């Protein structure tokens, strides 16, 4: 059974690093010859001895503009299997010491368990059987997920949903850290605190946690794994290649999706992730990401006319409504908007559930709500999945969406312009890099919002006969 899942945080459907392994691709991959070092020369033979099989005969480790990378050591053809890594040489969350597993119970996530395993092996130093791999992982200060950004840096993306998601995600990591601290306390009371737990600070834990989020893969059984050598492969959003897990053979492998010449960097896809997901989970962005999307909150006040009736109608037709996380007296949901490729197209980037929600919200009488139910029954049974027969109400619903989107757009352009005008000559390279990431993120989200705005304008104009 084959499967492939790149694990990440629970963000927009959701996760590399800079210097040691920056897992991203800016357009076409440059043809850069590998730079040979003793560390690189020794890593693959060590892994193959540990695995007991040949991992790869066509890849070598080197450096490119992306950081640590894998290159074709000879010609590769489309369809070739370019690496095989047995489960036996993968670090899994269930490899953590049994006594730690027992005390953790269900209190900590799989990410937290694997982060603890990294800290354990790291503290063993050269005594660790995984030392050649652990030593290749990015060190503190080399990751660029937004959870590591300073307040001033995070303010650069304040108009994006990434801002609040970063705060929420950091709180989730803190929750996992508290669970780890409880294990600390228990072991201290029993008089046999593991030596690697003594120095676990939140900063160290968050770093290890981010390593897991940016590098771990999952199998069909949802097992979380760090896969040495495979995680040196960098990301190309246009690639069709990915890492596959064969549960029957207990092996992970990569099949080349195209041909590569000797000396060319080999790239795979981590998934169809937006810049929001890439930035939060992996710590990089793409200059033009075709998978960009924007998650917006659309709510309904509890003082809305016919509120209970509308809520019941939405619930009955499985258009979920939840309380506003900010504590405001509204219910609604997060909807994901994707780029509408054609202003005169079908608007597929705008979710039908969002359009249905807007049609329900703009109803001002029981009769209008009953008409929604009747029209649904006459079509495919789904609520407001087709244009309303009442063109005036259809226009009103979509104009409300348009106003909401254009309000969001107003916050983007000033932020982007402000960052573009900043003088970076005297600033450190890290801030300059993160500013570029922020610009990539906001520019992509603004492009998505503009496409939705244009489609909504044209849709309303066509209905009004303009």
């Amino acid at each position: 059974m084959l499967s492939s899942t790149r694990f990440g945080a629970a963000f927009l459907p959701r996760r590399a690093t800079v210097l040691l392994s920056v897992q991203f691709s800016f357009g076409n991959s440059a043809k850069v010859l590998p730079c040979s070092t003793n560390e690189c020369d020794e890593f693959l033979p060590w892994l193959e001895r540990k695995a007991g099989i040949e991992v790869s005969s066509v890849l070598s480790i080197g450096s490119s503009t992306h950081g640590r990378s894998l290159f074709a050591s000879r010609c590769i053809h489309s369809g070739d299997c370019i690496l095989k890594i047995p489960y036996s040489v993968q670090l899994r969350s269930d490899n953590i010491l049994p006594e730690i597993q027992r005390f953790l119970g269900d209190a900590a996530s799989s990410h937290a368990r694997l982060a603890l395993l990294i800290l354990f092996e790291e503290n063993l130093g050269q005594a660790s059987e995984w030392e050649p791999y652990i030593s290749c992982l990015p060190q503190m200060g080399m990751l660029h997920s937004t959870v590591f950004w300073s307040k001033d840096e995070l303010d650069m993306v304040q108009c994006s949903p990434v801002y609040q998601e970063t705060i929420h995600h950091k709180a989730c990591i803190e929750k996992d850290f508290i669970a780890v601290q409880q294990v600390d306390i228990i072991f201290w009371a029993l008089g046999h605190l593991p030596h690697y737990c003594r120095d676990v600070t939140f900063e160290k834990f968050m770093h290890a946690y981010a390593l897991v989020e940016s590098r771990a893969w999952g199998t069909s059984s949802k097992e979380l794994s760090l896969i040495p050598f495979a995680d040196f492969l960098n990301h190309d959003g246009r690639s069709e290649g990915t890492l596959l897990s064969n549960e029957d053979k207990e092996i992970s492998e990569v099949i080349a999706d195209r041909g590569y010449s000797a000396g060319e960097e080999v790239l795979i896809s981590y998934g169809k992730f937006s810049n929001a997901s890439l930035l939060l989970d992996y710590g990089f962005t793409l200059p033009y990401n075709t998978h960009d999307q924007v998650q917006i909150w659309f709510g309904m006040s509890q003082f809305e006319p016919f509120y209970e009736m509308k809520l019941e109608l939405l619930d009955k037709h499985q258009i979920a409504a939840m309380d506003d996380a900010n504590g405001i007296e509204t219910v609604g949901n997060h909807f994901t908007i994707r780029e509408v490729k054609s202003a005169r197209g079908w608007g597929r980037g705008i979710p039908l559930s969002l359009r249905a929600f807007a049609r329900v919200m703009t109803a001002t009488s029981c009769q209008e709500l009953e008409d929604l139910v009747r029209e649904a029954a006459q079509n495919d049974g789904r609520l407001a999945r087709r244009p309303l027969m009442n063109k005036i109400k259809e226009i009103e619903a979509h104009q409300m969406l348009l106003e909401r989107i254009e309000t969001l757009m107003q916050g983007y352009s000033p932020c982007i312009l402000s960052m573009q005008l900043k003088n970076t000559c005297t600033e450190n390279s890290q801030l300059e890099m993160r500013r570029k990431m922020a610009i990539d993120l906001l520019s992509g989200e603004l492009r998505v919002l503009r496409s939705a705005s244009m489609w909504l304008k044209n849709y309303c104009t066509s209905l009004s006969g303009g």
Side-chain angles (χ1 to χ4, degrees):
M1 179 184 296
L2 292 176
S3 65
S4 173
T5 306
R6 188 71 191 235
F7 266 78
F11 179 51
L12 307 173
R14 60 219 145 92
R15 258 158 184 329
T17 64
V18 174
L19 299 182
L20 288 184
S21 179
V22 187
Q23 305 193 7
F24 63 96
S25 170
F26 292 129
N28 294 327
S29 172
K31 191 172 181 178
V32 183
L33 289 176
C35 63
S36 180
T37 65
N38 289 336
E39 179 190 67
C40 292
D41 289 343
E42 295 172 1
F43 183 86
L44 186 55
W46 163 80
L47 184 62
E48 291 183 330
R49 287 195 300 272
K50 191 173 183 61
I53 66 169
E54 182 179 68
V55 169
S56 178
S57 63
V58 297
L59 296 175
S60 58
I61 304 170
S63 296
S64 71
T65 53
H66 305 152
R68 178 166 289 144
S69 312
L70 293 185
F71 293 83
S73 54
R74 60 178 175 80
C75 181
I76 295 174
H77 300 286
S78 178
D80 286 352
C81 180
I82 58 177
L83 64 79
K84 290 183 178 182
I85 302 178
Y87 286 0
S88 60
V89 290
Q90 299 178 20
L91 280 78
R92 294 173 171 256
S93 54
D94 59 0
N95 291 151
I96 196 168
L97 294 175
E99 57 267 33
I100 299 294
Q101 290 272 30
R102 185 170 65 254
F103 282 111
L104 276 176
D106 297 327
S109 67
S110 295
H111 286 82
R113 296 168 193 273
L114 197 46
L116 275 179
L117 183 58
I118 290 174
L119 292 170
F120 174 68
E121 298 296 340
E122 188 178 71
N123 276 273
L124 285 177
Q126 292 188 347
S128 168
E129 63 172 311
W130 297 98
E131 192 275 336
Y133 174 63
I134 298 297
S135 65
C136 287
L137 296 176
Q139 303 301 305
M140 295 275 287
M142 292 180 176
L143 299 175
H144 295 279
S145 163
T146 48
V147 296
F148 297 106
W149 289 22
S150 67
K151 181 182 181 303
D152 288 342
E153 290 170 338
L154 196 56
D155 282 345
M156 294 189 296
V157 297
Q158 193 164 15
C159 60
S160 167
V162 169
Y163 180 84
Q164 286 298 332
E165 183 59 29
T166 299
I167 295 172
H168 171 73
H169 185 51
K170 196 168 183 177
C172 291
I173 298 176
E174 289 174 344
K175 182 179 178 181
D176 267 333
F177 180 63
I178 291 172
V180 170
Q181 285 182 312
Q182 295 305 311
V183 174
D184 250 5
I185 294 170
I186 293 171
F187 272 83
W188 178 268
L190 293 175
H192 49 89
L193 178 69
H195 74 279
Y196 75 95
C197 284
R198 296 171 191 164
D199 300 322
V200 177
T201 64
F202 177 64
E203 289 69 25
K204 287 184 178 180
F205 179 76
M206 187 163 68
H207 173 77
Y209 200 102
L211 286 174
V212 174
E213 289 183 321
S214 63
R215 310 179 82 84
W217 294 81
T219 65
S220 61
S221 61
K222 305 302 181 183
E223 181 60 53
L224 192 61
S225 303
L226 288 170
I227 307 178
F229 193 67
D231 60 7
F232 294 157
L233 287 164
N234 292 317
H235 173 69
D236 181 356
R238 301 165 306 170
S239 174
E240 296 296 326
T242 187
L243 186 140
L244 300 171
S245 292
N246 190 317
E247 296 289 333
D248 298 329
K249 296 181 179 179
E250 295 190 339
I251 201 167
S252 297
E253 57 189 7
V254 174
I255 307 299
D257 68 315
R258 66 175 181 85
Y260 289 90
S261 302
E264 188 176 358
E265 183 179 1
V266 178
L267 303 166
I268 63 171
S269 172
Y270 295 170
K272 297 180 179 180
F273 294 135
S274 67
N275 271 341
S277 291
L278 292 176
L279 184 54
L280 181 66
D281 304 338
Y282 298 97
F284 70 89
T285 56
L286 302 177
Y288 187 95
N289 189 339
T290 57
H291 303 301
D292 270 329
Q293 57 189 34
V294 183
Q295 191 179 71
I296 67 171
W297 169 266
F298 212 86
M300 178 172 60
S301 169
Q302 294 182 13
F303 303 103
E304 180 86 14
F306 306 100
Y307 168 79
E308 294 293 342
M309 188 174 179
K310 290 178 180 179
L311 194 61
E312 181 181 351
L313 187 58
L314 290 168
D315 183 63
K316 181 179 179 181
H317 287 269
Q318 299 179 335
I319 301 177
M322 62 186 73
D323 292 335
D324 190 346
N326 295 321
I328 303 171
E329 291 185 330
T330 62
V331 296
N333 211 331
H334 293 284
F335 297 90
T336 299
I337 295 179
R338 295 178 175 82
E339 186 173 4
V340 184
K341 299 299 183 180
S342 170
R344 297 187 180 279
W346 292 100
R348 289 173 182 164
I350 305 174
L352 290 174
S353 57
L354 173 57
R355 297 171 67 187
F357 194 95
R359 288 161 179 153
V360 172
M361 281 186 63
T362 51
T364 55
S365 68
C366 290
Q367 183 60 53
E368 288 178 10
L369 292 171
E370 290 171 0
D371 287 343
L372 286 173
V373 174
R374 177 176 50 79
E375 290 180 24
Q378 291 174 347
N379 294 301
D380 61 2
R382 294 178 291 179
L383 181 64
R385 305 284 282 191
R386 302 281 183 90
L388 298 176
M389 295 178 67
N390 185 332
K391 287 189 177 181
I392 294 176
K393 297 302 297 185
E394 179 73 354
I395 292 172
E396 183 182 342
H398 286 78
Q399 283 181 333
M400 182 176 65
L401 288 179
L402 177 61
E403 290 172 6
R404 172 63 174 152
I405 288 173
E406 292 194 330
T407 298
L408 291 174
M409 288 169 56
Q410 291 172 6
Y412 279 80
S413 294
C415 289
I416 295 171
L417 182 61
S418 174
M419 286 187 285
Q420 290 173 335
L421 294 177
K422 289 283 187 182
N423 183 355
T424 61
C425 295
T426 60
E427 294 177 339
N428 62 60
S429 58
Q430 176 174 283
L431 178 57
E432 187 174 349
M433 179 189 305
R434 291 179 178 179
R435 179 177 291 131
K436 183 187 180 305
M437 292 178 186
I439 292 173
D440 287 344
L441 170 72
L442 299 186
S443 298
E445 292 186 347
L446 180 58
R447 185 182 74 248
V448 170
L449 292 172
R450 280 176 173 164
S451 75
S453 171
M454 182 63 69
W455 185 87
L456 287 167
K457 286 178 180 177
N458 286 339
Y459 183 69
C460 291
T461 298
S462 66
L463 288 176
S464 61

